[in-house]
């Protein structure tokens, strides 16, 4: 599963038995946006080895971040996809982190490289992960699927990093947070500089 892994190369092998009893084997190799050419070549060689091991009876798919195929995305309909930035988990701190959730059929939770209001869009759910509070910010035009996934992945991150509290923040109602929560939020994203982009007319992330 890709959920919870770093933005790197990952391989999924899926077998499906047809009504005629024939086993169909599908190999997907997924390339993150930050992958190097050396790692990409390494992934290709591994796929060749796996195909050889399976007696060349496979169908292979090359998946790239943001351009995944329908079959590949169907594997993650229940849990969605969590993509973290970087290639080495020890190369970046646990806190703070900012994630953007987008996609209506198969939501993806993608870690952003910088914590800034420029990533906020009223059509997305955002997660601001801090040491004491995990904030789930809900854009006003998000779908119910994105909202539910935001709460689900937020709970997962909260439990994984043992964050004491999770708070849901509605788009446009940030000032309604308690004084303590606003103090934590302002430590990473100043409310005085709040900037939320409108939803694009033709969202590129629509599934």
């Amino acid at each position: 599963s890709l959920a919870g892994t770093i933005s790197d190369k990952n391989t999924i092998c899926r077998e499906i038995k047809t009504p005629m009893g024939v086993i169909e084997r599908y190999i997907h190799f997924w390339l993150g946006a930050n992958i190097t050419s050396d790692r990409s070549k390494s992934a290709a060689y591994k796929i060749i080895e796996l195909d050889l091991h399976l007696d060349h009876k496979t169908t292979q798919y090359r998946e790239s971040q943001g351009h995944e195929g329908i079959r590949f995305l169907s594997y993650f309909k229940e849990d969605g996809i969590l993509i973290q930035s970087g290639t080495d988990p020890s190369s970046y701190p646990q806190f703070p982190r900012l994630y953007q959730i987008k996609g209506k059929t198969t939501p993806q939770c993608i870690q952003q490289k910088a914590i800034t209001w420029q990533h906020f869009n009223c059509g997305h759910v955002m997660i601001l992960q801090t040491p004491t509070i995990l904030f789930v910010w809900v854009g006003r035009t998000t779908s119910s699927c994105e909202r539910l996934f935001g709460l689900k992945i937020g709970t997962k991150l909260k439990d994984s990093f043992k964050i004491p509290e999770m708070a849901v923040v509605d788009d446009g109602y940030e000032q309604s947070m308690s004084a303590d929560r606003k103090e934590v939020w302002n430590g990473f994203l100043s409310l005085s500089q709040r900037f939320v982009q409108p939803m694009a007319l033709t969202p590129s992330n629509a599934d």
Side-chain angles (χ1 to χ4, degrees):
S1 169
L2 287 179
T5 61
I6 57 179
S7 177
D8 198 347
K9 61 181 187 300
N10 295 274
T11 303
I12 293 177
C13 182
R14 176 65 62 92
E15 292 185 351
I16 298 176
K17 193 170 185 179
T18 68
M20 300 299 293
V22 178
I23 295 179
E24 297 179 348
R25 293 186 172 95
Y26 302 97
I27 299 176
H28 302 260
F29 70 102
W30 181 89
L31 304 177
N34 300 330
I35 194 170
T36 64
S37 58
D38 288 342
R39 285 179 175 267
S40 179
K41 291 177 182 177
S42 176
Y45 286 130
K46 291 297 181 182
I47 295 302
I48 293 174
E49 292 177 3
L50 182 57
D51 179 58
L52 179 62
H53 176 72
L54 296 173
D55 199 25
H56 300 293
K57 295 179 180 179
T58 68
T59 302
Q60 301 165 31
Y61 297 90
R62 181 184 186 277
E63 313 286 352
S64 59
Q65 184 176 337
H67 302 280
E68 295 87 352
I70 295 176
R71 181 185 295 277
F72 179 81
L73 292 175
S74 71
Y75 304 151
F76 303 95
K77 281 187 176 180
E78 183 176 345
D79 295 325
I81 301 174
L82 171 62
I83 302 174
Q84 297 177 340
S85 65
T87 56
D88 179 3
S90 64
S91 66
Y92 52 88
Q94 292 184 0
F95 307 109
R97 294 180 184 176
L98 182 67
Y99 296 91
Q100 184 184 80
I101 295 174
K102 55 184 180 180
K104 294 178 172 56
T105 304
T106 305
Q108 296 189 15
C109 181
I110 305 172
Q111 183 182 351
Q112 306 301 297
K113 292 183 178 180
I115 298 178
T116 170
W117 282 106
Q118 295 297 321
H119 295 302
F120 282 69
N121 182 305
C122 67
H124 294 153
V125 174
M126 306 295 295
I127 293 179
L128 175 60
Q129 179 179 323
T130 78
T132 56
I133 304 176
L134 185 137
F135 295 93
V136 179
W137 182 91
V138 182
R140 64 185 64 190
T141 61
T142 52
S143 67
S144 58
C145 178
E146 290 168 313
R147 296 174 189 178
L148 288 173
F149 179 63
L151 294 174
K152 184 175 183 178
I153 197 68
T155 301
K156 180 178 179 179
L157 290 170
K158 173 183 176 293
D159 294 342
S160 296
F161 292 100
K162 297 180 172 56
I163 301 172
E165 181 182 354
M166 185 171 80
V168 178
V169 183
D170 290 319
D171 180 7
Y173 292 87
E174 295 85 1
Q175 294 291 351
S176 299
M177 288 189 288
S178 66
D180 290 342
R181 288 179 176 177
K182 280 197 289 187
E183 182 179 1
V184 175
W185 180 283
N186 275 315
F188 304 99
L189 282 167
S190 175
L191 290 174
S192 64
Q193 298 176 0
R194 180 185 183 277
F195 174 78
V196 177
Q197 300 182 57
M199 184 176 179
L201 294 178
T202 307
S204 59
N205 61 300
D207 292 347

